[in-house]
Amino acid sequence: MDFKILYIEDQAAESREQDLINLGFNTLTYDPSSDISEVLQQVKQADINALILDYRLTAGQKQACFDAPTIAQTLRTKYSHDTNNKYEFPIILMSNEGIITDYYNDFTSQDLFDFTLTKKEFLDKPERFKSKLISFINSYEVIKDSKYDILKILGITSNEENLVHTGIITKTKQFDQHTFEFSRLIFEQIIRAIGPLIGKDVLAARLGVSQSSPDWDKLLLSLTNTRYVGILSDVYPRWWMAKINEWWYGITEATIPLRRLDAEERVETIKSKLNLDLVPIIKTEYSNSSNFWTICKYSNVAIDPFDGIELYKRDLLPWQEKEYISIETGLTSMDKLKDYISVIDKKAIRELVKKINANG
């Protein structure tokens, strides 16, 4: 399909426009004026599949007096009740690194864009950007075509309803058929969180298997029926934890859950049943347990939550699991993370630092 993209940039955009064209997108560029209604008219006339915005839009020849969040907010609200959903499409923020940092510091703007990236990230990995953008465009179509049926959107059948936490169903009932809200919930709160779905690093931790194992790919192949196949699954591989548990009991014919075994025990069981060459994950220096169940949020190393440092200051939704960092990350990044670590954990880390220093 020939996807049509509108790229709004206030300065010379020819190079970026050509980059997008080279990726196969039918690309239009636009330097916004100071009248936002003209911008909206341009969007309507373009009949696009996605919109890409630079953050700062005030330095162009037409002297726009607003930035990307204003355009995104206006589009999200003005056409939120459009009956044919013609103006609901992915909106992507692409700007310079420092400006993207400003965006993340502006909490009022963080619920407007489907995803963000720096221009450097775009140039470094253009094919990754292409795959991701196409996946988001397709996800909007799936959401609309499914008539906002959350089971269909998540790629599960009616007899698999138990995979979906009731909180997710309750949440989607509030969206009133707003495509962006469905897409954002699934991307930000289901795919990018640890809960009913888990990513590859958490999967490895819970199986106790190192991803550098010779037969890691064969192990993944044996887990094909546990894969998530809903929207965005082509660029964000995920697995249903409930199905992983079913798989585990199916191959082991045991009654002992994964959580109660250490990495070596899990790996030996899987190796004996599937005849695969697998290597267990080795615990980190300051970990006591190899009963891995989660990962460090910043280093992605496997940890047992009992060895981890719990992160606070985030309102978890009912289906989401707590987030942790490893002790190693706590030791090296205390200043950056101090607002997210409890007083007790901060004290424990300081005591560990003293002990390490005392031992030379």
Side-chain angles (χ1 to χ4, degrees), residues 326-343:
S326 66
I327 296 173
E328 285 78 5
T329 295
L331 289 171
T332 58
S333 306
M334 171 65 86
D335 290 341
K336 183 173 66 174
L337 300 171
K338 61 184 178 181
D339 292 337
Y340 301 91
I341 300 174
S342 72
V343 174

Side-chain angles (χ1 to χ4, degrees), residues 208-310:
V209 179
S210 169
Q211 295 181 56
S212 62
S213 297
D215 284 344
W216 170 252
D217 289 337
K218 292 181 180 178
L219 176 59
L220 291 184
L221 188 61
S222 76
L223 292 166
T224 298
N225 291 336
T226 70
R227 286 285 297 265
Y228 165 69
V229 295
I231 64 168
L232 303 174
S233 60
D234 52 336
V235 289
Y236 291 96
R238 294 294 185 269
W239 290 260
W240 290 103
M241 189 58 214
K243 289 189 174 184
I244 294 292
N245 285 329
E246 291 176 1
W247 170 87
W248 168 256
Y249 291 123
I251 67 162
T252 63
E253 300 177 354
T255 58
I256 302 176
L258 274 166
R259 186 69 180 92
R260 289 178 55 188
L261 302 175
D262 63 29
E264 292 78 8
E265 292 169 327
R266 297 172 195 175
V267 169
E268 284 304 315
T269 300
I270 297 171
K271 285 172 63 175
S272 66
K273 298 298 181 179
L274 299 182
N275 194 29
L276 297 177
D277 186 0
L278 304 173
V279 178
I281 298 172
I282 304 301
K283 64 185 180 183
T284 59
E285 181 178 0
Y286 298 108
S287 292
N288 293 312
S289 168
S290 64
N291 289 59
F292 307 123
W293 203 248
T294 189
I295 57 173
C296 171
K297 183 173 175 63
Y298 292 92
S299 68
N300 290 337
V301 299
I303 54 175
D304 183 332
F306 291 108
D307 282 329
I309 301 167
E310 184 179 340

Side-chain angles (χ1 to χ4, degrees), residues 141-155:
E141 294 306 311
V142 170
I143 293 169
K144 296 172 188 177
D145 292 343
S146 74
K147 302 188 185 302
Y148 304 91
D149 183 326
I150 189 62
L151 298 184
K152 292 180 180 178
I153 295 169
L154 294 175

Side-chain angles (χ1 to χ4, degrees), residues 10-51:
D10 61 342
Q11 300 189 56
E14 292 82 2
S15 176
R16 200 74 61 246
E17 177 184 14
Q18 188 58 53
D19 289 335
L20 290 166
I21 291 172
N22 291 342
L23 288 174
F25 295 115
N26 180 357
T27 307
L28 305 173
T29 58
Y30 177 66
D31 180 3
S33 70
S34 59
D35 186 350
I36 196 167
S37 64
E38 292 184 7
V39 178
L40 299 181
Q41 187 61 32
Q42 179 71 23
V43 172
K44 291 181 68 174
Q45 291 176 345
D47 190 25
I48 57 176
N49 299 107
L51 174 65

Side-chain angles (χ1 to χ4, degrees), residues 69-88:
T70 302
I71 296 176
Q73 179 68 61
T74 304
L75 284 168
R76 296 298 189 199
T77 56
K78 184 177 179 65
Y79 300 115
S80 62
H81 296 289
D82 178 53
T83 55
N84 62 13
N85 295 309
K86 183 177 180 180
Y87 304 109
E88 280 215 89

